Amino acid sequence: MFRIGDLVAHPMHGAGVIDAVIQEKVGGNTQDYYVFKMPMGGLLLKIPVTNSVAIGVRPIITPEEAETLIAAIPALEVESNANWNKRYQENLQRLKSGDLREVARLIKGLMTRDTRRGLSTGERKMLQTAKRILISEIVLSEQADYETVEARIDMAMTQEAAC
């Protein structure tokens, strides 16, 4: 169970802080909810405590894990299905996984595709969402500013892997 002040990551919204734990009565049942607040954008979510693990809410990565992830980005393999619908579904699964390595792979794949062929509106929106998720967690983990982390991620995405 998380406590107030814990830094956590939500797979579809990015990183934030547990602002409160409240009880609410819904449909005749009283349930405990985490009030999840995202520092960037100010989004507030109520997440049922009993469903938080199933949803994929987890503690944020450590600064060391963040550095390892950024260093691994140039070597990430990307595959791009030619079928738009299949590619979109595969990328959506990566996004929902909550695995930052898979989110980084999604970002790298879409950035590569954007430079070669351009992106559809849906893929462009997915790219923005994925970048927000990845950057928000690294920002909170390393206590860095958004622009600096974004620049580091963008640079890592365009670097070639060292042989």
Side-chain angles (χ1 to χ4, degrees):
M1 181 157 166
F2 297 112
R3 294 187 306 230
I4 295 170
D6 284 352
L7 299 176
V8 298
H10 186 288
M12 293 301 290
H13 296 288
V17 63
I18 300 296
D19 201 42
V21 180
I22 61 171
Q23 282 191 341
E24 282 193 2
K25 192 171 190 173
V26 178
N29 296 325
T30 301
Q31 261 191 329
D32 289 335
Y33 290 87
Y34 293 124
V35 177
F36 173 77
K37 183 178 181 181
M38 287 190 59
M40 289 170 273
L43 175 70
L44 275 178
L45 292 176
K46 290 181 188 170
I47 304 168
V49 170
T50 55
N51 292 354
S52 63
V53 172
I55 291 168
V57 176
R58 60 172 173 72
I60 66 167
I61 60 175
T62 66
E64 294 78 20
E65 291 169 324
E67 286 303 311
T68 300
L69 176 65
I70 292 171
I73 288 173
L76 287 177
E77 294 290 324
V78 295
E79 64 256 4
S80 185
N81 196 313
N83 179 304
W84 179 89
N85 190 36
K86 188 141 177 83
R87 184 175 63 246
Y88 187 84
Q89 290 303 317
E90 289 168 355
N91 283 337
L92 190 58
Q93 285 306 110
R94 285 186 178 100
L95 193 61
K96 287 181 176 180
S97 74
D99 180 345
L100 287 185
R101 186 178 279 284
E102 288 301 309
V103 173
R105 187 185 315 275
L106 180 158
I107 294 167
K108 188 172 184 179
L110 289 178
M111 287 177 75
T112 301
R113 183 165 187 84
D114 192 25
T115 58
R116 292 185 183 151
R117 294 188 168 185
L119 296 176
S120 68
T121 303
E123 287 177 315
R124 191 165 307 285
K125 184 175 180 187
M126 183 180 282
L127 175 58
Q128 291 171 344
T129 300
K131 282 183 82 174
R132 181 181 39 80
I133 288 169
L134 179 63
I135 293 168
S136 70
E137 188 158 352
I138 294 172
V139 162
L140 284 183
S141 173
E142 296 188 341
Q143 298 180 350
D145 67 271
Y146 191 93
E147 292 76 19
T148 301
V149 172
E150 183 176 30
R152 289 178 61 210
I153 296 294
D154 287 344
M155 188 181 343
M157 291 292 172
T158 58
Q159 286 178 347
E160 293 296 319
C163 295

